[in-house]
Amino acid sequence: MASGEFYINGKDCYTTWGISMDTSSLSALMTPSPLKEFIENKSRLEHGKRVLTSNPKIDERNITLTFNLTAKTEEEFFSRYNSFCEELETGVINIKTKYQPNITYKTIYISCNQFTQFMRGIARFSLKLVEYNPEDRNS
């Protein structure tokens, strides 16, 4: 991914932090949301059980996104890295892509599961996020 393809909190990730999203991350964002469990009732007076399926509701979902951060110099790398960490510390991570321009994934930052730095100019890391209400994806 390059400039204009991926935004966090309204900021172009590539031009702001040198961050691009791994192709698996786009798939993770687009994965359909789970449903909450249906209401069930078991009775000794009936065979099987009753399941109320008339009003399904979407549940929250956990998402893991993999990013790559690149920089030309060591100084630029640490500047971009520190700036991105400050953005994560806000807790709110709203994600947009050029592929779904009318959708904003409203997430909360939970943790960074993996961080690998290569040659002080390239880093790869995985963020764990929770999309607390997948039905609310309006901009």
Side-chain angles (χ1 to χ4, degrees), residues 13-135:
C13 291
Y14 192 77
T15 57
T16 307
W17 302 293
I19 288 179
S20 57
M21 184 168 45
D22 189 271
T23 54
S24 65
S25 295
L26 185 58
S27 297
L29 283 173
M30 294 177 64
T31 299
S33 303
L35 290 176
K36 289 184 176 182
E37 291 184 24
F38 290 107
I39 297 171
E40 300 177 354
N41 184 36
K42 279 187 154 185
S43 171
R44 293 277 302 146
L45 303 174
E46 298 177 1
H47 296 288
K49 65 180 174 182
R50 289 186 187 189
V51 180
L52 300 178
T53 60
S54 61
N55 193 15
K57 298 292 181 189
I58 301 294
D59 203 357
E60 69 181 27
R61 69 184 186 129
N62 294 317
I63 306 168
T64 301
L65 303 179
T66 303
F67 299 123
N68 299 305
L69 187 153
T70 58
K72 294 178 183 172
T73 65
E74 185 176 324
E75 182 178 285
E76 182 182 46
F77 174 85
F78 285 105
S79 174
R80 287 177 168 183
Y81 169 78
N82 290 333
S83 176
F84 187 65
C85 286
E86 288 173 6
E87 193 71 32
L88 293 177
E89 289 172 3
T90 67
V92 175
I93 306 295
N94 293 324
I95 300 169
K96 286 188 81 143
T97 69
K98 80 171 192 175
Y99 306 104
Q100 296 175 296
N102 298 325
I103 293 177
T104 299
Y105 296 94
K106 298 174 183 176
T107 68
I108 296 173
Y109 170 67
I110 303 297
S111 65
C112 181
N113 296 346
Q114 176 186 7
F115 178 82
T116 309
Q117 183 182 356
F118 306 100
M119 302 175 292
R120 298 187 182 193
I122 302 172
R124 182 178 183 86
F125 50 97
S126 296
L127 299 182
K128 184 176 178 184
L129 307 168
V130 63
E131 186 179 19
Y132 49 92
N133 182 2
E135 283 292 296

